[in-house]
Amino acid sequence: MSDPQRPFTLTPGAPDSPVLLHVPHGSRHIPQHVRKGITLDDAALERELDRITDAHTAELAAAAAQMAPVAPWCFVNNLSRLVVDPERFPDEREEMLAVGMGAVYTRTTHREPLRPPEADPAPLLEAYFRPYATAMTEAVEARIAAAGRAVIIDVHSYPTEPLPYELHGTGPRPPVCLGTDPFHTPPELLAAAESAFGDRVGHDGIGHDTPFAGTYVPLRHYGSDRRVTALMIEIRRDTYMTEPGGPAGPGLKTLAEAVAGLVASVVPR
């Protein structure tokens, strides 16, 4: 599914499926010309990638897509979020600017310098952020054209222990966090996720909007198009892998089954 020679990959699902599994933070790949603008040495960069990468989420989404009775479409970022973070607002609306983690990060997870203070984010936004946003918008609109709606399921993970960059790291850190948006997450989508994950991790293992809140919707549709619904799935990493950047374990299959169950409930046969 992942191809580091391409910034992102859209893997087709069933022609009439409305579902897009979105994997924005699963890659460690940084093109060499972008690497030159990062001030960390190689060892420090590897440690940062261990912390910031949602490891194995592309594999999880691919497994879920194979299990689902009606295959969803999958949109996967093949570049590290240290290149650009496609889920941030590209302007002053982004609260993570406060810790140097807007669309182009200038600080690490430990709030240390990542790029020189004089670095201009514009070239990275032009080369990577805007093409990604355009392609994701087109993918959503294609699902609307084919199915009359689009359902974005945003697949993430997060560390067991909070990192210094987290603005809301003092709250509960459940095995599964469901991130919602008041406009784009209808009660029935949230309930379907609670059922799918509750069957596998226990209903007491599910939290809402803690430690991370919200979900991704392309700006063209954000807050205005109810045909686009969305939910973020944040999975605590100790449930499926060895932290901080180690191999996946048997929990990956269980969680993929949960995502497949969610997809199946959204698109009944």
Side-chain angles (χ1 to χ4, degrees):
M1 178 179 289
S2 179
D3 180 358
Q5 301 305 311
R6 301 169 60 194
F8 45 80
T9 300
L10 177 63
T11 301
D16 58 349
S17 172
V19 180
L20 268 170
L21 294 184
H22 182 219
V23 184
H25 295 156
S27 175
R28 298 172 69 98
H29 179 64
I30 301 173
Q32 187 55 37
H33 71 279
V34 179
R35 168 69 182 96
K36 291 177 181 177
I38 292 175
T39 58
L40 303 179
D41 63 29
D42 288 348
L45 178 58
E46 287 301 306
R47 289 194 296 272
E48 183 65 10
L49 286 168
D50 284 346
R51 298 174 187 129
I52 201 68
T53 304
D54 292 352
H56 313 296
T57 49
E59 297 96 312
L60 192 158
Q66 289 183 335
M67 295 175 189
V70 178
W73 293 60
C74 295
F75 194 106
V76 176
N77 186 6
N78 297 326
L79 299 178
S80 168
R81 63 199 289 190
L82 298 184
V83 180
V84 297
D85 190 331
E87 294 215 317
R88 301 290 197 238
F89 287 113
D91 51 36
E92 67 281 352
R93 287 175 291 178
E94 181 51 60
E95 71 169 355
M96 296 302 291
L97 283 170
V99 290
M101 297 181 113
V104 177
Y105 295 178
T106 59
R107 295 274 167 173
T108 70
T109 52
H110 282 62
R111 304 198 184 197
E112 297 166 346
L114 180 74
R115 289 184 167 91
E118 69 274 11
D120 181 6
L124 291 175
L125 292 173
E126 191 63 31
Y128 298 109
F129 185 92
R130 292 190 178 92
Y132 189 105
T134 297
M136 187 63 182
T137 300
E138 291 173 350
V140 166
E141 292 183 346
R143 294 303 87 224
I144 294 172
R149 60 186 176 125
V151 183
I152 302 170
I153 299 174
D154 216 16
V155 183
H156 294 258
S157 71
Y158 72 96
T160 304
E161 297 297 327
L163 290 166
Y165 84 95
E166 296 181 24
L167 294 178
H168 310 288
T170 58
R173 302 178 81 81
V176 175
C177 161
L178 301 178
T180 66
D181 178 90
F183 186 93
H184 290 283
T185 309
E188 60 270 22
L189 178 57
L190 182 60
E194 290 172 337
S195 176
F197 282 92
D199 289 344
R200 291 162 178 86
V201 303
H203 289 275
D204 58 351
I206 299 172
H208 295 164
D209 294 309
T210 178
F212 298 98
T215 188
Y216 177 82
V217 174
L219 290 177
R220 185 180 299 175
H221 304 275
Y222 182 67
S224 62
D225 191 343
R226 293 197 182 275
R227 296 175 300 174
V228 181
T229 59
L231 181 77
M232 178 173 68
I233 299 168
E234 287 271 7
I235 301 166
R236 202 178 65 207
R237 291 176 190 158
D238 66 338
T239 64
Y240 75 91
M241 64 174 284
T242 301
E243 295 183 88
L252 189 79
K253 181 175 183 291
T254 300
L255 291 160
E257 291 171 347
V259 174
L262 170 58
V263 172
S265 67
V266 171
V267 192
R269 297 186 73 171

